[in-house]
Structure formats: structure tokens, C-alpha cells
Amino acid sequence: MVGSADRFTLAERVGIGATAEVIRGFDQERRVPVAIKRLHEHLSVDPLTRDRFEREARLSARITSEHVVGYVASGIDADDRPYLVLEWLEGEDLAHRIRTSGAQCGTAEALTIARQAALGLLALHEAGIVHRDVKPGNLFLALPPDGGPFVVKLLDLGVAHDSASENVDGVALGTPFYMSPEQARGDTEIGPRSDLFSLGVLLFELLSGKRPFAGDDAFSVLAKIVLQAPPRLSNAWPEAPPVLDALVARALARDPEARFSSAREMADAIEAARRVVLEGAAPPEDIALPPALVPSDDHLVGVIFGRLPLSSNVGRTRALFQRVAEQQGGVVIPLLGRGVAAIFAGECADGLLRAADAALDLVKQMTGVRLSLVTGGALPSGAGLSASVIERGTRALERPRADVNEPPVRIDDATAQLLEEQYAVEGAPGSLSIRGTRGR
């Protein structure tokens, strides 16, 4: 048993995660079932994990909202294991719904889920809490006892950030597919609009059946979130009503200031879009659709993707990478962990040539760094990169080594054709690299 005076009795275990187990219990005081989340025994002696768990309990106790799972109690059991008691929910989480029914659901249901999730985020944000892990597994479609329609409830404040106190771990956390650009860069300051971006990703997926940012591995997904011009809902769902296309585009803006200013504003925009699409209300006259982006064949960008050496101090290595890239006019963008990218723009192929020189200089100064270099047509200033450039660059970076003597700057076949007159290109098609310059 857990709780004072044996208030809560334990029944069967209903779930197990990386840090805690979830047990169905019974609240003797209120005579209702409850969910008891208890830290794993082997982690209860780890101060960092224990502090994070207890912080989740404190944050949960501060929230009272129909759209956030309800807090009941928390404490330490007889085995010195922290526990958190929450309301018992009947129904399923959205991840299970997607696995069993497919990602795309009806427009009405998608908008209902997103709007109620926004109201749950509103309650968190008004309490100074940023969730930081908005994803299908953390949205529960709870079925009321009276058999009414489901109610969306946000789950799991385990990685939430409380703006009123210091972040105890300083670690950027979340789930790659649903991270905001600021999370994917590893920024230390993550605000409420980060959650709204994640909710925009989720709405895109529910409406179209596709994730806006997909890739073969976490690195490519993070690179797309940070660097790619945000994909349009209408590209994945050609029949998307303009009001929904514009709503999702605003939520997915790379610049936080261009997103909705609050969860309340986003919830209101979702409701207004619902009335237009499902009830025939007049659409707003000022629907702001992003312009179509076409890469310029006359202006190329060179892009370096890199993984910094594991044996190095990441701060010092990032500073060195930035210094070398900026000497050639590159703009450096950090990625979560040891990932990094640098973009070189210029007239014709000038950006690519400067990127190649920077990459060769980097491998001379950084033992163990792994780099790829690709090029593609430039998009308008500030728009980001095309998905094609990012996919080719991350694919080249992650491909297996052809042999132990393979040069460390990997390129794709299209980039090789532009570099082969001035740089020593080695390898076979599909596994090409550059080792140095020709005659320089």
C-alpha cells in the first residue's frame, strides 16, 4: 500500500516506462479507482531522476483543468520510492488510436483533439509550465462514465519546465518528430510557443495522415525541423481548405514570434476554422498563406552537415567549427547533441566552393569529425532549405564507410559533378568524398 493511513490500495500493474511503473489502485477515501505512478526501485536512489519525478508531482499539483490529467496525491512509500497518484482514465491515448486506426482521422475529430489539447496547454502555460513533450502518446482520449464524447487530457509532466524555478537538469528533452526548432537546436530557453509548434505538428499529422518532418533517423528529422522551409499542409493533403492550410502554417513557423501568441489564440483559431470548414461560416478575408517556394537554379547553397567528435569537449569543438565556417562566410546552426550544420550562400556556385574549403579546413583542425557536403538551389532569404538538400546531406553523413581510408568529407553524386574540376573526388557513385583541392 501507499499513502497516509493506507489510503490507496494497489491492484495490477497496467504500464511500465523508462523511469516508472503505473499501477491501477483504489482511493479508499473517495471510493474511486486511481492511477499510481511509482518510480522504479533502481532509479529511486538516483538524485537527478528522483528530483525530476518529484518535480513532476509538484507541477501536477498546481494544475486544475478538464484537459490535464487530474492530480490526487503524491508522497514516498514504505520502500522509499516516490509515487504520484492521478485520476483513473478510461479510454486510449492518441498514439494507440493512430496505431490501430491510422494517423489520418476525420477533420472534425482532428480539430476537436487539437482544440482541447490547446486548452490543456493554456492551463499549463498560465501556471508558468511548458510541457516540452506534446505528442500522441501524451494525449489521452478519456471516455466519461456517462458515455459522452471523449475528453482530451494532457499526460506526463516528466520533462516539463517550470519558468518560476530553475530547470534542474538543463537538458533539452522531447520526442524528435514533434520537437520545435528551438528544442531541436538544443536551446536552453524553451517557451510556451514551443508547445504550440508541437501541437501544429500533431494537427498536420491528424489532418493529412503524414508527419510534416520525417527521416531515416533522428539526425535527419532534427535537421529538417531546424533547417527546412516548413512544409505546407496542402502539399500532403491537396484538398486541404485554405483556412486549415493557413492555420497549420502559422503553428509551424520556424520563428516563434510568427506563431500563435498563446494557446488561447490557437484554440480560438482552431474553433474558427472548424466553423468555416464544417458549418459553412464565412472564412476570414485575411487568410495568410505562405508563398510557394521554388529553388533557384542560378543561386546555389552549399551546406555542411556534421557530427562533432565524441572524444571532444562539445562547447570548444562547436566554437572551433563556428570560427572556421564563419571565416568562409558560413552561417552555423547547432543541432541537438553533437550535430551541427553550416550554410554557405552566394552567387552561382560560390557558396558551394567556400563550403568545400571550410569542410577541408575543418577536418584538418578536428580529429574525428564526420562531415557531409551537398548543394542545391537556394530558396528566398530566410525561408530555409529544401527537403531534398537536407535529405541528401544527412544520408551522405550517415552512410557506412566505404573503407578505412575514405576521406572524411562525404558528398553526393550531384555535388561531385560541380566539384570535380577543382577538388579531388574519390570513391564510387553513391559513396563519394573529397580529399583536397586540385593544384592549390
Side-chain angles (χ1 to χ4, degrees):
M1 294 187 180
V2 297
S4 59
D6 297 332
R7 174 181 171 182
F8 304 104
T9 57
L10 306 181
E12 72 276 12
R13 185 167 65 186
V14 295
I16 185 167
T19 60
E21 61 182 346
V22 179
I23 301 168
R24 181 185 174 99
F26 191 78
D27 185 346
Q28 303 280 7
E29 181 179 302
R30 297 187 304 140
R31 311 301 300 172
V32 295
V34 291
I36 301 172
K37 185 175 181 179
R38 188 165 60 168
L39 191 64
H40 291 318
E41 184 176 6
H42 69 281
L43 293 175
S44 63
V45 296
D46 175 57
L48 183 61
T49 305
R50 188 180 183 110
D51 192 18
R52 188 182 295 159
F53 186 92
E54 292 176 349
R55 183 181 57 165
E56 177 185 0
R58 292 193 300 271
L59 297 183
S60 298
R62 285 167 42 187
I63 305 301
T64 302
S65 169
E66 179 187 12
H67 298 295
V68 179
V69 61
Y71 171 88
V72 178
S74 60
I76 309 295
D77 69 11
D79 297 321
D80 194 38
R81 294 169 62 181
Y83 66 87
L84 169 61
V85 184
L86 301 167
E87 67 173 315
W88 179 261
L89 300 175
E90 294 288 351
E92 61 181 345
D93 64 47
L94 185 56
H96 182 266
R97 169 74 67 91
I98 289 173
R99 284 195 302 271
T100 56
S101 304
Q104 187 174 20
C105 59
T107 301
E109 182 172 278
L111 295 176
T112 295
I113 291 170
R115 181 177 178 275
Q116 291 191 26
L119 294 176
L121 291 174
L122 176 64
L124 295 181
H125 296 168
E126 288 182 337
I129 299 169
V130 181
H131 191 283
R132 298 202 301 178
D133 199 15
V134 178
K135 62 181 181 180
N138 285 338
L139 269 64
F140 198 91
L141 311 183
L143 299 175
D146 61 7
F150 66 75
V151 176
V152 176
K153 292 180 180 283
L154 288 176
L155 306 178
D156 197 350
L157 301 183
V159 300
H161 175 61
D162 176 13
S163 61
S165 62
E166 291 187 12
N167 184 1
V168 298
D169 47 39
V171 177
L173 298 163
T175 301
F177 290 113
Y178 303 93
M179 280 186 178
S180 67
E182 49 269 39
Q183 283 181 293
R185 287 192 303 265
D187 291 2
T188 55
E189 296 294 328
I190 304 295
R193 295 189 192 198
S194 174
D195 285 343
L196 304 186
F197 183 96
S198 301
L199 183 56
V201 172
L202 182 64
L203 181 56
F204 186 111
E205 182 179 4
L206 293 175
L207 289 170
S208 70
K210 303 173 184 176
R211 289 172 173 160
F213 305 100
D216 296 332
D217 50 55
F219 184 91
S220 61
V221 172
L222 295 175
K224 284 185 176 181
I225 291 171
V226 174
L227 301 170
Q228 183 183 336
R232 289 271 296 274
L233 176 65
S234 54
N235 292 338
W237 179 29
E239 299 81 19
V243 67
L244 294 182
D245 201 9
L247 186 155
V248 172
R250 185 173 178 189
L252 294 184
R254 287 191 300 145
D255 180 2
E257 294 300 316
R259 300 173 203 155
F260 294 100
S261 62
S262 68
R264 169 65 71 188
E265 185 182 18
M266 187 169 178
D268 290 345
I270 294 170
E271 174 58 21
R274 186 197 66 79
R275 291 197 297 268
V276 171
V277 175
L278 300 178
E279 297 179 5
E285 296 180 359
D286 57 346
I287 293 178
L289 288 171
L293 299 175
V294 180
S296 170
D297 294 332
D298 297 327
H299 294 83
L300 300 177
V301 291
V303 187
I304 297 173
F305 293 91
R307 285 192 181 276
L308 302 179
L310 287 173
S311 58
S312 66
N313 176 286
V314 67
R316 287 197 297 268
T317 310
R318 280 193 188 282
L320 175 58
F321 186 102
Q322 183 165 347
R323 184 166 65 253
V324 172
E326 289 181 348
Q327 286 172 352
Q328 294 289 348
V331 177
V332 176
I333 300 98
L335 298 174
L336 194 60
R338 293 181 176 267
V340 67
I343 302 173
F344 300 77
E347 297 290 329
C348 300
D350 173 65
L352 172 61
L353 300 180
R354 286 186 285 107
D357 287 342
L360 293 171
D361 197 7
L362 284 165
V363 297
K364 291 178 182 177
Q365 299 193 45
M366 287 186 185
T367 302
V369 71
R370 186 168 61 178
L371 302 176
S372 67
L373 170 63
V374 293
T375 189
L379 296 179
S381 178
L385 300 174
S386 68
S388 171
V389 167
I390 299 170
E391 287 168 359
R392 288 187 286 114
T394 56
R395 192 178 301 123
L397 184 70
E398 298 299 330
R399 75 180 184 224
R401 294 181 68 179
D403 62 68
V404 293
N405 295 316
E406 180 183 7
V409 181
R410 300 172 173 190
I411 57 176
D412 68 328
D413 295 2
T415 303
Q417 294 177 13
L418 297 172
L419 293 177
E420 58 188 359
E421 290 187 5
Q422 299 186 48
Y423 296 84
V425 176
E426 299 183 11
S431 58
L432 297 172
S433 302
I434 57 173
R435 187 177 296 278
T437 58
R438 294 184 185 275
R440 281 197 284 162

